[in-house]
Amino acid sequence: MTAPVGRFAPTPSGRMHLGNVFAAMIAWLSVKSRGGHLVLRMEDLDTQRTSAEFAETLRGDLRWLGLLWDEETPPQSERSPVYDRYFDILREKGLLYPCYCSRAQLHNVNAPHLSDGTYVYAGTCRNLTREEQNAMKRLPAWRVSVPDKLWTVNDLAQGTLTQNLVTDCGDFVVRRADGVYVYQLAVVVDDGESGVTEVVRGLDLLGSAPRQMYLQELFGFSHPQYGHVPMLLAPDGRRLSKRDKDLDLGELKKRVCPEQILGKLAFSAGIIDRNVPVSARELAGEFSWEKLHGDAIYLNEI
Ligand SMILES: [Zn+2]
């Protein structure tokens, strides 16, 4: 068996909070418990919210936690010319069309919405004639047509998820009207070109895996193994977020050591059976996906 290649791909838009730390820890453990290679990549497509300073703070936080990476690949903000090439592959396959819908049209009450609040695109612009397109006053987003077939994700933490993209999301945007590529395309290209064999990340991204599997197939990449780790919740059931300042690493570093954080997270997730301080390296000897439970993790104070 060849050693796995994993990745950690944070968005440098603020301080890491415990949810990010947990996803990074599991991505690291899954790879390092089997002698694999970890790639770090900054997902900074949203240049308004992200910054090089946040990226540097993030690297410092990961080092402090002992979650070291083997290689850092270029940030997404620098890779538009690469994404252009893959966009052209979709164009050459005849799978792209311009979409002129306004935000208001897309969120029309008649459009079916999924449980996560996203809508199923109705295909409004799929059959516009060239004349109709030319008459449009705005720049279009670009959508890729999806096939009527089932995609199955065999997830390391969540079991099996099956989606038909036609009914679960519809034709989806790969490049926005302002020319910025969307996450779905960038993540597939970056993981594919880095030779990533397993994608471990938060459960909120599970629903996007079938779209990514479709793009992987179109671009000629093999499907990675997916592992979507459970969300961390506050005791009252709220999702931890960047708003929980007391649980971001800037605050935590003032009063706890990295081993306390990793120990608490590993204990809460079922990886170790006592809440004791433990280093990343020690945890690598304990880790297996069978131990991790897939349900939400309620976190008390650290
Ligand atoms: Zn449209």
Side-chain angles (χ1 to χ4, degrees):
M1 198 184 86
T2 49
V5 179
R7 39 73 121 197
F8 181 53
T11 300
S13 62
R15 211 59 202 253
M16 280 179 104
H17 62 78
L18 280 179
N20 309 133
V21 174
F22 181 60
M25 180 183 91
I26 301 298
W28 190 91
L29 288 174
S30 178
V31 168
K32 292 299 169 183
S33 61
R34 289 172 294 147
H37 184 88
L38 193 83
V39 176
L40 175 67
R41 174 177 79 238
M42 296 298 161
E43 298 206 327
D44 57 351
L45 286 168
D46 184 350
T47 51
Q48 304 291 319
R49 281 172 56 233
T50 57
S51 75
E53 289 72 32
F54 281 136
E56 195 44 40
T57 305
L58 234 152
R59 290 183 199 99
D61 286 345
L62 288 171
R63 283 189 202 102
W64 181 77
L65 289 161
L67 302 176
L68 302 180
W69 57 100
D70 301 286
E71 175 193 2
E72 180 167 358
T73 56
Q76 294 185 328
S77 59
E78 293 175 11
R79 286 181 43 86
S80 275
V82 179
Y83 304 144
D84 286 341
R85 292 208 312 269
Y86 288 89
F87 184 75
D88 286 343
I89 293 176
L90 301 179
R91 194 200 303 271
E92 281 155 22
K93 288 181 187 284
L95 292 169
L96 291 181
Y97 63 87
C99 168
Y100 298 88
C101 295
S102 66
R103 194 174 289 261
Q105 278 172 290
L106 293 173
H107 289 276
N108 186 301
V109 284
N110 295 321
H113 283 64
L114 302 178
S115 55
D116 64 358
T118 55
Y119 58 87
V120 178
Y121 183 64
T124 318
C125 300
R126 191 186 298 136
N127 297 314
L128 293 182
T129 62
R130 185 73 58 174
E131 288 69 34
E132 287 169 320
Q133 290 174 352
N134 290 340
M136 294 292 177
K137 295 282 184 287
R138 63 172 80 218
L139 285 172
W142 289 84
R143 289 182 185 270
V144 61
S145 307
V146 300
D148 184 9
K149 72 174 259 192
L150 288 178
W151 299 89
T152 300
V153 186
N154 293 308
D155 193 84
L156 288 165
Q158 307 299 331
T160 302
L161 168 84
T162 303
Q163 266 189 13
N164 184 329
L165 294 176
V166 170
T167 48
D168 282 305
C169 76
D171 300 340
F172 59 92
V173 172
V174 289
R175 198 174 80 184
R176 299 189 329 208
D178 61 5
V180 175
Y181 287 99
V182 305
Y183 171 75
Q184 308 297 343
L185 182 136
V187 75
V188 166
V189 170
D190 291 346
D191 285 340
E193 290 202 339
S194 303
V196 163
T197 61
E198 64 172 49
V199 171
V200 175
R201 58 189 179 188
L203 182 55
D204 50 334
L205 290 167
L206 176 61
S208 70
R211 268 168 282 173
Q212 291 160 26
M213 291 173 76
Y214 172 46
L215 291 179
Q216 283 151 11
E217 208 156 283
L218 293 173
F219 295 153
F221 296 124
S222 13
H223 301 311
Q225 173 68 61
Y226 285 104
H228 288 86
V229 302
M231 306 308 285
L232 295 188
L233 303 178
D236 63 1
R238 277 177 315 115
R239 223 179 105 178
L240 293 184
S241 75
K242 294 201 159 123
R243 286 190 300 277
D244 295 288
K245 284 284 172 225
D246 50 331
L247 290 178
D248 84 23
L249 271 193
E251 289 304 311
L252 286 172
K253 276 168 99 164
K254 293 176 189 163
R255 57 186 177 86
V256 292
C257 65
E259 290 79 12
Q260 277 172 282
I261 296 177
L262 298 180
K264 171 82 179 188
L265 291 175
F267 170 68
S268 305
I271 299 165
I272 51 176
D273 49 22
R274 285 192 312 136
N275 183 9
V276 289
V278 59
S279 71
R281 195 156 294 284
E282 288 167 319
L283 272 179
E286 298 283 334
F287 180 79
S288 78
W289 280 97
E290 287 70 37
K291 288 185 183 172
L292 185 82
H293 64 74
D295 307 328
I297 294 170
Y298 290 86
L299 208 70
N300 304 314
E301 273 298 289
I302 285 204

